[in-house]
Amino acid sequence: QVQLVESGGGLVQAGGSLRLSCAASGSIFSINTMGWYRQAPGNERELVASSTSGGSTNYADSVKGRFTISRDNAKNTVYLQMNSLKPEDTAVYYCNTRTRRTAVSRLYEYWGQGTQVTVSS
């Protein structure tokens, strides 16, 4: 099993910044991807940003130029720096990871418990 511990959510005014962190621990041989999803009330969960072990990143169009995803592979930690926040960024943000337990195992997917981000106008 893998545990994901998130931190960094909160309440911020429009135009402000927040930094989310997510640390993975447990039965990890290697981490393939780490990323962030979000879900606002009444909406489906959507990808915000992701990062592969090879260094590739992917962002939702709505956050490009404002959010930056980064990883500390030594600490199995992923960060999401969120700048120029808008009220429409308000959501529960979930950390996601796909890991291998051994060199030959399949990928296993795990989710964090979620952290609330609220942007006031």
Side-chain angles (χ1 to χ4, degrees):
Q1 270 288 26
V2 171
Q3 296 77 42
L4 299 177
V5 178
E6 302 160 344
S7 61
L11 172 65
V12 65
Q13 288 188 334
S17 298
L18 284 174
R19 189 191 195 209
L20 305 183
S21 300
C22 173
S25 62
S27 300
I28 300 172
F29 174 81
S30 64
I31 297 179
N32 182 266
T33 62
M34 297 191 82
W36 293 93
Y37 289 69
R38 67 186 181 187
Q39 188 168 18
N43 290 354
E44 293 187 352
R45 192 172 296 189
E46 62 175 0
L47 173 70
V48 177
S50 64
S51 172
T52 70
S53 57
S56 299
T57 58
N58 185 38
Y59 293 92
D61 288 342
S62 59
V63 307
K64 284 181 180 176
R66 300 188 297 123
F67 291 9
T68 302
I69 190 170
S70 60
R71 285 170 63 163
D72 184 335
N73 291 324
K75 296 181 179 180
N76 289 340
T77 300
V78 63
Y79 306 96
L80 185 68
Q81 178 66 44
M82 305 185 292
N83 298 329
S84 302
L85 282 160
K86 304 175 181 180
E88 50 263 45
D89 294 318
T90 295
V92 178
Y93 284 69
Y94 296 91
C95 179
N96 172 274
T97 186
R98 295 178 177 89
T99 70
R100 297 188 191 278
R101 297 177 182 174
T102 70
V104 296
S105 77
R106 66 173 177 89
L107 288 172
Y108 292 84
E109 184 173 43
Y110 298 96
W111 293 91
Q113 78 282 2
T115 184
Q116 177 70 45
V117 171
T118 302
V119 184
S120 63
S121 57

